[in-house]
Amino acid sequence: MHDEQDQVTVTFENHDFALTPSPGEIILPVYGRKIHHDPQCGHLTDVDELPRFPDPDRLLWRRLIDSAPSHDTVARTGFARSIGLLGGSGQPLTSACSCVLRPISPHQAATMRPWPLDEAVRAFDSDRFAGELRAMEGAAEDVRRDFPWEDWPTLPLERYALGQGGSAHTRPYCYLMEFGSKALGSIAGGSSTKHLIYQRSQDGSWWHDSRYADEEEAWQAVRSGIVAAVTAAREGRIADIDTIDAVRSGPALVAKTLRVYAPDDSLAVYGHDVVRHFVHQLTGQPVPKLDRFALHARLKEVIDGEQRFAGWSYDLVVLFLYWWTNPVRTQQIVKVAPGANGSLWDECRAGGFIAVGWDEVTDLRSFADKDEFLAAFATAYTHEYNGYQSKISAKANELWKLQSLRPGDLVVANKGTSEILGVGRVAGDGYAWREDRPRYRHTVEVEWDESFAGRLEEPERSWATVTVRDVSAQVWSRIRRAKSVPSVEDVEDDPVSDATDAALTARPLDAGLTPLAEALDRRGQAVLYGPPGTGKTYTALRFAVRWLGELCDDLPDVDPYAEPGAPAFRRTLDALTAAGRLTTVTFHPGYGYEDFVEGFRPVKGGPGGLTLDRVDGVFKRVCQAAAADPGHPYLVVVDELNRGNLPKILGELITLLEKDKRGCQVLLPLSQEQFTVPDNVYLVGTMNTADRSIRMLDAAIRRRFAFLEQLPDSAPLQGCHVEQLHLADLLDALNQRVRTHLDREKQIGQAFFLPNGAPVDTVSGLAAIVRDEILPLLQEYAYDDYSLLAAFLGEALVDLDAHTVRDLSDEGLVTALYTELQVKGGAAE
């Protein structure tokens, strides 16, 4: 097998892969249609001598995947036949085995070397991009024709701004920038605030920076700012654009404008993170913290100084960069129901889109931000949802999710809780409001693949009551398993499998885990805090399995994608713990510095059988192991963080925990040793805010941790009933009352209704949870104020005269909960 040290990362179709270099020849399979680099690959048939194909420059793998997109097997077949790339049975080879390109996660990719620039330049065929270069310049010419540069100083607002549905100028400048010039690169997505000024379609009012008195004053400033930005670029002063206040909040629009009007002085790269990524990949050095256009100037400087790009146009360089090291964004997978009982599926399939309703709220891009959208949604749908704030918010979030979808994301079309109608890839501009449709006007452009049609092994009950929902890694695996494939040969040559293998093998972190990964990357330590039962410890351990598991693939019995509750999940935790990569501790009032860092402890030995000796604490031992193994992350999970005396437990470590102090040394007072916290040590704490608010924590502690709030989430209970009582409605209504009378920190978490990880589904089980777990907690919150307890649960459960909880049967208790908290909803007396 090839040494993993030789592997480098490449990107293709929005996924990261570890490339095992070719040995100078391709190994051809007897069966199947994938090229191989490793003769020991387990996917190869065990025969005495496998045929080979010469690969003298070791770049055939790239030419194969560049010959056509992975789903276009016809074009790939044509390429393979044209060069004689045939397997042992004479079939054309159309894709690469994992012994050539192994799908990996973004975390894994970050730890590996990129595909060398020299090799990439050698493999780059600029002729393939001749059409794109012509299209880019043609699109720029179209914009310059409709909006000559000399017109800009006096350009009227109606020629510029979006939202003017009745205007004679149906293609204003901002429309061309976002929708009419795709060849120049996309700035689509998000709200219209990126255009600096626009007219709201819902009421005709103008949005602009609030520093300006009206739209005319705002337009004067924006127009002058755009002119100044282009002038600065033409004069070689791109970094000066950061000082132009009027255009500061529209960097993508300004960057694309520079490509149109200053093509010889700017690059067609519009995202700040993308610019940073390219600078890092080209230089191999940490990227300094620079403002947006100062970073643009830095990228241009690096490219101008790179001899490999001598004689290339900036457009060709940009196309090369995206081809060589396209920054991989986290792929979203969502399920969207195409109408009730799949009623819109035929229309969506034929039209290449997915559509949802809520048409009383218009184009999502016309809202300045999510808060403005939420207010509009509440106004439009409060009556329909009976003023039920939690449901209004949940449904609004479903609709808002559509505008976050980008090309390459996946949409699962479902019918009911078990049937998969198809899976598609988001294409084009993604979300679009289609005014020409009679209803269901919120749409997303999708390229459908019906080969995924089938039924899940078990119904996904939460789908029963939601239209749009994130698909977790576990559910996506079940969808993939439900996909029928007729034969082994078809599996080997399955175009959909080729196109989505990376989505299956190197799945993105679930939405609930991504913020934690980002917080650890940014700060090194984070705290999950929230009311009881919100799954803080569960989230921490699920994160440990997923995040550490992907980065510790050197360990046996590690399955990063194991589902919580499954035997593989416990085996993974045990394997990570045994290897020292994961350490879990629980703080309590008796826990001290000597337990965490170092202290004197009685140990065996000495005249009396025991002697007092200095012993290293938990965290010190973790840091020592991590320092000796810098290639792997080490995670410490501290449960009940706030129950310990943190300043006392951490001592002088409070300084070393800061990200920019990692690697620095302090002298431990007891052992007189120099001690450091390595960069590869991370800490996640959990904190129950019903016991102690984060406001009570030491200020120095708060400054050094990222704090991520874990609020109750009824999503796992959607579609789950006990008799007539919908558990999601029960939780939402109860928490709405708790928030009204107390505060958000004393809500009830969803975990109370998920014994052993599954929703309670019996009357006796729910009654026991309410009596033994929820009622005592609410009584503690109410301090034996039974009028307050009745405001939570209703007088059918609480006897105000007797100051007690009524002795109801299991069935009577569930009926009372249904009447009070589902029929009446969240309204509190």
Side-chain angles (χ1 to χ4, degrees), residues 337-345 414-417 419 421:
N341 203 32
S343 59
L344 295 177
W345 173 237
N414 72 294
K415 178 181 178 181
T417 59
E419 187 174 354
L421 301 171

Side-chain angles (χ1 to χ4, degrees), residues 125-337:
D125 181 5
S126 60
D127 291 341
R128 288 183 56 242
F129 296 89
E132 291 183 52
L133 289 171
R134 288 193 297 271
M136 290 178 74
E137 186 49 37
E141 280 291 341
D142 288 345
V143 177
R144 291 192 291 262
R145 182 193 63 237
D146 292 348
F147 296 87
W149 179 241
E150 55 270 20
D151 290 356
W152 267 92
T154 58
L155 191 73
L157 176 58
E158 60 267 22
R159 299 263 353 256
Y160 173 85
L162 286 174
Q164 305 166 89
S167 172
H169 301 287
T170 56
R171 286 167 58 89
Y173 180 76
C174 289
Y175 178 89
L176 286 179
M177 285 291 98
E178 185 159 6
F179 306 110
S181 54
K182 295 179 183 178
L184 291 174
S186 175
I187 61 169
S191 74
S192 293
T193 57
K194 62 175 170 283
H195 295 299
L196 302 166
I197 181 172
Y198 69 93
Q199 193 170 30
R200 294 182 175 96
S201 58
Q202 57 265 38
D203 60 8
S205 64
W206 285 91
W207 182 91
H208 53 76
D209 192 313
S210 58
R211 80 179 84 178
Y212 305 117
D214 54 32
E215 66 272 16
E216 283 302 326
E217 182 182 341
W219 172 232
Q220 294 285 338
V222 167
R223 183 176 60 192
S224 297
I226 291 174
V227 171
V230 173
T231 301
R234 288 179 167 185
E235 295 176 355
R237 299 182 290 105
I238 291 180
D240 288 355
I241 298 174
D242 291 317
T243 66
I244 305 174
D245 286 343
V247 298
R248 192 182 296 276
S249 58
L253 174 78
V254 172
K256 193 166 184 178
T257 297
L258 297 185
R259 166 57 190 87
V260 173
Y261 295 106
D264 297 328
D265 304 286
S266 62
L267 295 147
V269 184
Y270 311 131
H272 188 65
D273 290 339
V274 180
V275 177
R276 178 176 294 276
H277 171 80
F278 287 155
V279 172
H280 174 65
Q281 295 297 93
L282 286 169
T283 64
Q285 301 296 321
V287 182
K289 292 183 178 180
L290 298 171
D291 287 341
R292 288 181 178 272
F293 287 96
L295 193 60
H296 274 267
R298 174 60 181 147
L299 177 59
K300 182 175 177 296
E301 177 187 22
V302 171
I303 290 171
D304 288 344
E306 178 54 69
Q307 289 302 310
R308 298 176 185 88
F309 301 143
W312 294 26
S313 69
Y314 283 145
D315 285 347
L316 183 60
V317 173
V318 168
L319 292 175
F320 168 81
L321 292 176
Y322 277 105
W323 172 86
W324 171 49
T325 179
N326 191 357
V328 173
R329 57 176 291 273
T330 300
Q331 184 185 46
Q332 296 188 87
I333 307 177
V334 299
K335 84 93 190 171
V336 183

Side-chain angles (χ1 to χ4, degrees), residues 621-749:
R621 294 197 299 271
V622 170
C623 290
Q624 290 169 340
D629 183 22
H632 292 103
Y634 283 68
L635 179 65
V636 178
V637 174
V638 180
D639 210 13
E640 304 285 357
L641 182 80
N642 54 317
R643 293 190 65 230
N645 184 336
L646 292 182
K648 177 183 176 184
I649 292 172
L650 296 176
E652 59 278 340
L653 296 190
I654 192 64
T655 297
L656 297 185
L657 286 177
E658 288 193 69
K659 197 68 184 291
D660 61 353
K661 302 297 192 303
R662 296 297 181 93
C664 297
Q665 293 184 334
V666 296
L667 184 68
L668 298 180
L670 188 61
S671 63
Q672 291 296 298
E673 294 177 358
Q674 293 290 342
F675 180 71
T676 184
V677 177
D679 286 332
N680 58 327
V681 171
Y682 302 88
L683 192 151
V684 173
T686 69
M687 180 175 164
N688 192 334
T689 52
D691 299 332
R692 186 184 186 192
S693 168
I694 63 171
R695 294 186 297 273
M696 303 296 290
L697 288 180
D698 183 276
I701 301 292
R702 291 202 307 270
R703 287 196 301 270
R704 287 164 171 84
F705 284 79
F707 285 84
L708 306 176
E709 189 172 24
Q710 300 280 105
L711 290 174
D713 178 13
S714 63
L717 305 175
Q718 290 289 342
C720 302
H721 292 77
V722 173
E723 303 296 343
Q724 76 274 38
L725 178 58
H726 185 206
L727 295 180
D729 288 347
L730 167 64
L731 180 66
D732 288 338
L734 179 57
N735 280 329
Q736 187 166 326
R737 294 185 177 193
V738 170
R739 291 193 303 271
T740 298
H741 291 282
L742 293 175
D743 55 58
R744 62 191 289 159
E745 293 181 345
K746 291 185 170 55
Q747 296 179 82
I748 304 297

Side-chain angles (χ1 to χ4, degrees), residues 572-654:
T572 300
L573 286 175
D574 291 343
L576 293 171
T577 301
R581 309 279 174 79
L582 172 65
T583 302
T584 57
V585 297
T586 301
F587 282 1
H588 53 78
Y591 202 90
Y593 178 88
E594 61 275 13
D595 301 295
F596 202 59
V597 185
E598 64 177 11
F600 285 104
R601 291 292 189 190
V603 297
K604 290 182 179 180
L610 290 175
T611 185
L612 204 60
D613 197 4
R614 184 186 58 78
V615 176
D616 292 336
V618 171
F619 191 68
K620 185 178 179 183
R621 294 197 299 271
V622 170
C623 290
Q624 290 169 340
D629 183 22
H632 292 103
Y634 283 68
L635 179 65
V636 178
V637 174
V638 180
D639 210 13
E640 304 285 357
L641 182 80
N642 54 317
R643 293 190 65 230
N645 184 336
L646 292 182
K648 177 183 176 184
I649 292 172
L650 296 176
E652 59 278 340
L653 296 190
I654 192 64

Side-chain angles (χ1 to χ4, degrees), residues 425-452:
R425 289 182 175 275
V426 175
D429 294 319
Y431 170 80
W433 167 258
R434 300 195 183 189
E435 190 71 51
D436 58 324
R437 289 177 55 78
R439 58 186 187 135
Y440 294 94
R441 295 172 176 172
H442 296 285
T443 69
V444 176
E445 186 177 343
V446 177
E447 297 172 348
W448 291 111
D449 180 349
E450 293 179 73
S451 68
F452 277 86

